[in-house]
């Protein structure tokens, strides 16, 4: 599990982000981080911290979302084999990424949703037609049941050869 | 009462005026260093669990492993750079890394200490260790608040009053070499008194590179004290905005004796006006070098942020200076969003001491093929390198303002270039 010193550090970070010192964090508190503000997917990432309809996230929620990025090898030290699947399992990491694409949370990535996310990533530098072709090709390659949308199962299949554990993990130094 | 004042005058003010040292500060520092070393040893012994060896500079290592692989290497595979669902992982992880620890916002709050220096304010991660340590800490509180604080306050009052009275007196004289000489004496003496008011121990390096008349001195900015640190060893023409209150009184008095460059609030918004006035000052080789802090705001002394190019468009010779404070004895950084100037000065005066190193770097001029921004970056590198500070391309103004959209647009452009590079889309 997370060590005591790591929790202390993250709590320290949580409070330092809270400029107004009113407890929970708001979206503005995240947007004040320059490196996050310039990230093309910054808004989607920030959104992942806020549950449906809420504008505040407390420390518990903050830790829960960050937990997705714990390295998978941490789980081997955990003794609880019969408990619920840990948030940082490969499957849950993939689910987290899936939710970044699935804008309306209907468990499917539609062509439209993919286009919107692509548009966030490329800005104004690629035309609608080109972007449309990219989206079409991507969906075509991954779509197995022919509904022109990507379900979570299809998403997992496409990424089966990708080292998700390495790409979606953050390691603490101490 | 009278004995107290006489002692202060005799032991501190008079030597300051003459520029000599009686060795009292040195003795105090020696005792302080020994005490802090003892405290550090006790802390290390007192820790029950065996800790992994702490790295020397926490700022350099950070708390998480940052993967600095550039976007192109991370996302593109061989010759295929078509879009894949996995591309999102790169942006996602970068985003989360920034949330846990980012390079910029940490510079706007005080540096964390490796080992407790017996000040309550830095006691964030250190717990009760032993009775002896607590006793020493209590003694420290008494010494700092009941002895040092009144002493320092008295000195500061004397220093500021002398400055106002002295410069006004000198200002009455007609312009000439006598006036300049006396003005320098007054400024230097008052500066020295103020440095003693902070228990300042300053080591100046490479004094042969000291800024000359007609030049521009630029330094990294940590605190309003920076100016006093520098004027302790030389005379400068200050540049800044006119303030109200006590600061305004000081500004109006000093400008009578010496041509400091004070701007009204309305004037400072006009960049051309500012550049013009500074250019005129610098062109006059008989005038003192001007002192500018190109970061524009106080940074926490672990890094040097973007230098505003304005100072580097004036022309003339730039004399870079690096200032590095030792945080073990007292935190010099002014966190203006957390403390106002009065609280800040109070904190400074109840610290152990202000210890810093000042390096005078060799003068630099703009090269033919360099523009102001490149020149500014070159000077900034030299200062950061000398002071052991990290160089950051970010603007210190991010302390208060939002980052510009152009940076995000740049990221989007880079990603798009990657997708389109091989021509094979769709």
């Amino acid at each position: 599990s997370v060590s005591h010193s790591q929790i202390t550090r993250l709590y320290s970070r949580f409070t330092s982000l809270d400029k107004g010192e009113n407890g929970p964090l708001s979206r503005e508190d995240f947007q004040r981080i320059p490196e996050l503000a310039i990230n093309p997917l910054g808004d989607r990432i920030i959104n992942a911290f806020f549950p449906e309809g809420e504008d505040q996230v407390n420390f518990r929620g903050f830790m829960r979302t960050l937990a997705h990025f714990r390295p998978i090898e941490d789980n081997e030290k955990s003794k609880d084999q019969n408990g619920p699947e840990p948030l940082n399992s490969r499957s849950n990491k993939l689910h987290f990424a899936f939710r970044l694409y699935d804008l309306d949370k209907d468990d499917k990535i539609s062509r439209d949703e993919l286009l919107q996310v692509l548009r966030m990533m490329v800005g104004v530098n690629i035309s609608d037609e080109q972007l449309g072709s990219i989206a079409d090709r991507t969906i075509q390659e991954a779509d197995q049941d022919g509904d022109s949308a990507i379900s979570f199962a299809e998403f997992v299949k496409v990424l089966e050869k990708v080292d998700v554990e390495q790409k979606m993990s953050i390691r603490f130094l101490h | 009462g009278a004995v107290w004042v006489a002692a202060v005058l005799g032991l501190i003010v008079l030597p300051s005026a003459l520029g000599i040292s009686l060795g009292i500060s040195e003795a105090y520092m020696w005792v302080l260093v020994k005490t802090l070393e003892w405290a550090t040893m006790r802390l290390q012994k007192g820790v029950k669990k065996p800790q992994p060896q702490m790295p020397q500079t926490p700022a350099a290592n950070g708390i998480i492993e940052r993967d600095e692989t550039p976007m192109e290497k991370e996302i593109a595979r061989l010759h295929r750079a078509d879009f894949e669902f996995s591309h999102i992982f790169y942006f996602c992880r970068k985003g989360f890394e920034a949330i846990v620890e980012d390079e910029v916002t940490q510079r706007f709050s005080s540096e964390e200490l490796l080992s407790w220096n017996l000040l309550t304010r830095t006691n964030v991660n250190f717990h009760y260790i032993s009775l002896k340590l607590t006793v020493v800490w209590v003694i420290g509180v008494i010494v700092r608040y009941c002895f040092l604080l009144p002493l320092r306050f008295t000195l500061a009052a004397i220093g500021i009053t002398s400055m106002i009275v002295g410069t006004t007196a000198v200002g009455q004289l007609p312009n000439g070499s006598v006036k300049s000489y006396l003005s320098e004496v007054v400024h230097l003496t008052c500066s020295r008194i103020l440095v003693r008011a902070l228990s300042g121990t300053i080591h100046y390096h490479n004094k042969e590179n000291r800024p000359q008349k007609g030049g521009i001195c630029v330094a990294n900015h940590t605190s309003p004290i920076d100016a006093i640190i520098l004027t302790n060893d030389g005379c400068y023409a200050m540049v800044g905005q006119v303030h109200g209150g006590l600061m305004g009184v000081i500004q109006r008095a000093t400008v009578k004796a010496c041509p400091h460059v004070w701007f009204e609030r309305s004037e400072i918004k006009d960049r051309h006006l500012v550049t013009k006035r500074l250019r005129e000052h610098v062109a006059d080789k008989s005038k003192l070098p001007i002192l500018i802090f190109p970061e524009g705001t106080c940074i926490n002394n672990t890094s040097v942020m973007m230098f505003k190019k304005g100072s580097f468009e004036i022309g003339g010779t730039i004399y870079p200076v690096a200032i590095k404070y030792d945080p073990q004895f007292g935190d010099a950084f002014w966190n203006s969003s957390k403390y106002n100037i009065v609280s800040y000065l109070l904190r400074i005066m109840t610290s152990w001491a202000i210890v810093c190193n000042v390096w005078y770097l060799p003068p630099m001029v703009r090269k033919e093929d360099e523009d102001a921004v490149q020149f500014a970056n070159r000077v900034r590198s030299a200062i950061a390198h000398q002071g052991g500070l990290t160089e950051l391309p970010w603007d210190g103004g991010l302390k208060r303002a939002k980052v510009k959209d152009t940076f995000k647009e740049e990221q989007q452009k880079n990603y798009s270039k990657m997708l389109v590079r091989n021509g094979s889309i769709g």
Side-chain angles (χ1 to χ4, degrees):
Chain A
S1 338
V2 193
S3 79
H4 178 73
S5 74
Q6 286 172 5
I7 298 181
T8 319
R9 286 218 168 272
L10 287 173
Y11 186 68
S12 178
R13 175 64 170 168
F14 179 83
T15 43
S16 76
L17 288 175
D18 182 19
K19 274 284 160 357
E21 295 196 21
N22 33 16
L25 295 179
S26 66
R27 285 189 168 79
E28 286 75 38
D29 289 322
F30 284 96
Q31 277 153 0
R32 242 180 256 112
I33 304 172
E35 285 165 79
L36 184 61
I38 68 168
N39 189 317
L41 293 175
D43 288 334
R44 289 303 298 156
I45 294 168
I46 294 173
N47 214 48
F49 283 85
F50 295 87
E52 190 63 53
E54 307 231 344
D55 291 324
Q56 311 238 299
V57 56
N58 59 17
F59 183 59
R60 208 182 141 86
F62 183 71
M63 288 291 282
R64 245 189 90 84
T65 314
L66 285 181
H68 286 93
F69 280 79
R70 275 180 40 225
I72 288 187
E73 51 261 26
D74 276 8
N75 292 348
E76 284 155 16
K77 301 181 203 140
S78 162
K79 299 180 185 78
D80 187 2
Q81 299 294 339
N82 297 325
E85 198 179 358
L87 284 170
N88 64 333
S89 68
R90 184 192 159 87
S91 174
N92 275 326
K93 284 182 195 283
L94 282 167
H95 212 141
F96 187 85
F98 183 81
R99 286 198 294 270
L100 287 174
Y101 284 107
D102 182 14
L103 300 169
D104 62 5
K105 302 187 211 254
D106 66 351
D107 289 328
K108 280 196 179 304
I109 304 175
S110 68
R111 179 184 190 267
D112 213 47
E113 287 172 337
L114 182 55
L115 262 179
Q116 286 190 52
V117 175
L118 276 169
R119 185 49 79 192
M120 288 181 213
M121 288 159 92
V122 306
V124 302
N125 299 291
I126 296 184
S127 70
D128 283 332
E129 296 83 45
Q130 282 183 331
L131 217 57
S133 331
I134 295 178
D136 287 330
R137 181 192 55 75
T138 314
I139 293 190
Q140 201 178 39
E141 282 179 0
D143 185 19
Q144 293 179 326
D145 60 9
D147 63 351
S148 302
I150 309 297
S151 68
F152 182 57
E154 289 163 344
F155 187 73
V156 171
K157 186 86 177 58
V158 168
L159 295 170
E160 66 186 347
K161 296 214 177 64
V162 175
D163 186 0
V164 176
E165 293 87 340
Q166 190 266 324
K167 285 183 189 292
M168 292 275 282
S169 294
I170 295 178
R171 276 168 185 73
F172 273 80
L173 287 173
H174 310 297
Chain B
V3 178
W4 171 253
V5 175
V8 167
L9 279 173
L11 291 173
I12 299 175
V13 176
L14 203 54
S16 302
L18 301 170
I20 56 175
S21 166
L22 288 176
I24 303 176
S25 305
E26 282 80 359
Y28 168 66
M29 288 304 297
W30 186 85
V31 170
L32 189 57
V33 167
K34 286 283 172 246
T35 313
L36 289 177
E37 274 173 10
W38 170 83
T40 310
M41 273 192 345
R42 289 240 50 148
L43 277 167
Q44 282 173 353
K45 267 195 237 159
V47 171
K48 294 202 171 62
K49 276 190 304 180
Q51 293 273 356
Q53 190 61 27
M54 297 257 326
Q56 279 310 104
T57 39
N61 282 357
I63 45 176
I64 53 176
E65 243 173 62
R66 299 294 291 256
D67 190 340
E68 300 296 342
T69 330
M71 196 198 288
E72 292 76 10
K73 266 189 83 178
E74 177 109 5
I75 297 183
R77 257 187 292 168
L78 295 172
H79 303 291
R80 278 177 56 96
D82 301 334
F83 174 73
E84 294 178 15
F85 280 113
S86 57
H87 287 184
I88 209 174
F89 295 154
Y90 172 80
F91 292 109
C92 197
R93 192 180 67 203
K94 281 265 171 266
F96 271 81
E97 280 174 354
I99 290 174
V100 174
E101 177 186 45
D102 78 292
E103 280 300 325
V104 185
T105 58
Q106 58 167 284
R107 313 293 171 180
F108 301 138
S109 59
S110 299
E111 189 186 355
E112 236 185 83
L113 287 177
L114 279 171
S115 130
W116 190 35
N117 64 347
L118 297 175
L119 295 175
T120 326
R121 62 195 70 155
T122 47
N123 190 1
V124 174
N125 294 324
F126 308 109
H127 309 288
Y128 176 83
I129 298 288
S130 78
L131 184 61
K132 271 195 202 162
L133 210 55
T134 313
V135 166
V136 173
W137 170 71
V138 170
I139 296 177
V141 170
I142 298 175
V143 166
R144 285 183 293 120
Y145 282 84
C146 304
F147 176 66
L148 289 177
L149 180 59
L151 172 65
R152 288 172 179 165
F153 188 78
T154 314
L155 282 173
I158 294 177
I160 294 176
T161 318
S162 316
M163 176 92 91
I164 297 174
V165 168
T167 48
T168 311
V170 171
Q172 307 302 320
L173 298 171
N175 287 348
S177 55
V178 176
K179 181 179 184 182
S180 308
Y181 175 70
L182 285 175
S183 165
E184 285 188 23
V185 168
V186 170
H187 277 95
L188 271 175
T189 309
C190 296
S191 202
R192 287 189 192 125
I193 298 174
L194 288 173
V195 165
R196 277 172 166 73
L198 303 168
S199 296
T201 304
I202 312 172
H203 304 288
Y204 297 96
H205 306 268
N206 308 330
K207 285 197 188 186
E208 66 273 9
N209 292 326
R210 233 192 299 211
Q212 304 292 321
K213 291 194 172 142
I216 304 171
C217 176
V218 303
N220 57 314
H221 202 27
T222 307
S223 140
I225 294 177
D226 290 339
I228 303 176
I229 301 284
L230 289 177
T231 53
N232 185 48
D233 190 48
C235 290
Y236 299 88
M238 299 290 170
V239 176
Q241 202 181 304
V242 172
H243 288 93
L246 180 61
M247 192 64 218
V249 175
I250 298 175
Q251 284 177 316
R252 279 191 294 277
T254 52
V255 79
K256 292 195 182 95
C258 169
H260 298 298
V261 187
W262 304 127
F263 290 100
E264 299 293 330
R265 181 161 254 146
S266 52
E267 287 177 315
I268 210 153
K269 292 203 172 87
D270 184 348
R271 267 193 54 208
H272 292 292
L273 181 70
V274 171
T275 314
K276 181 165 169 288
R277 257 183 85 179
L278 292 176
R279 236 187 226 140
E280 283 166 4
H281 183 109
V282 167
D284 185 348
K285 294 297 173 198
S286 69
K287 288 209 170 133
L288 294 169
I290 53 178
L291 178 57
I292 295 185
F293 298 101
E295 282 166 306
T297 189
C298 294
I299 311 294
N300 76 347
N301 209 230
T302 58
S303 70
V304 187
M305 296 186 105
M306 196 182 88
F307 272 3
K308 301 207 186 319
K309 62 178 179 164
S311 327
F312 300 89
E313 290 173 329
I314 303 170
T317 317
I318 300 276
Y319 294 87
V321 177
I323 307 175
K324 180 82 179 102
Y325 292 90
D326 187 342
Q328 193 68 13
F329 299 96
D331 178 23
F333 168 58
W334 181 27
N335 191 343
S336 47
S337 37
K338 219 171 162 187
Y339 306 105
N340 60 26
I341 186 79
V342 176
S343 322
Y344 168 69
L345 287 172
L346 201 64
R347 283 167 66 90
I348 291 283
M349 291 196 191
T350 52
S351 304
W352 292 118
I354 296 293
V355 176
C356 66
N357 281 296
V358 175
W359 288 273
Y360 294 108
L361 292 155
M364 291 171 137
V365 284
R366 181 149 72 100
K367 293 196 189 129
E368 285 293 322
D369 54 347
E370 244 180 356
D371 67 8
V373 174
Q374 290 164 328
F375 182 39
N377 285 337
R378 191 160 62 92
V379 174
R380 190 167 64 103
S381 283
I383 292 180
H385 188 72
Q386 178 66 78
L389 306 161
T390 343
E391 257 183 272
L392 287 181
W394 298 92
D395 185 350
L398 290 171
K399 201 196 252 181
R400 301 208 167 78
K402 283 221 163 109
V403 64
K404 291 202 205 118
D405 286 332
T406 43
F407 293 101
K408 186 194 266 197
E409 285 156 21
E410 206 182 301
Q411 296 256 312
Q412 288 167 328
K413 204 158 105 171
N414 289 340
Y415 179 65
S416 308
K417 269 196 234 167
M418 244 189 47
L419 279 191
V420 182
R421 185 174 53 199
N422 293 329
S424 53
I425 323 167

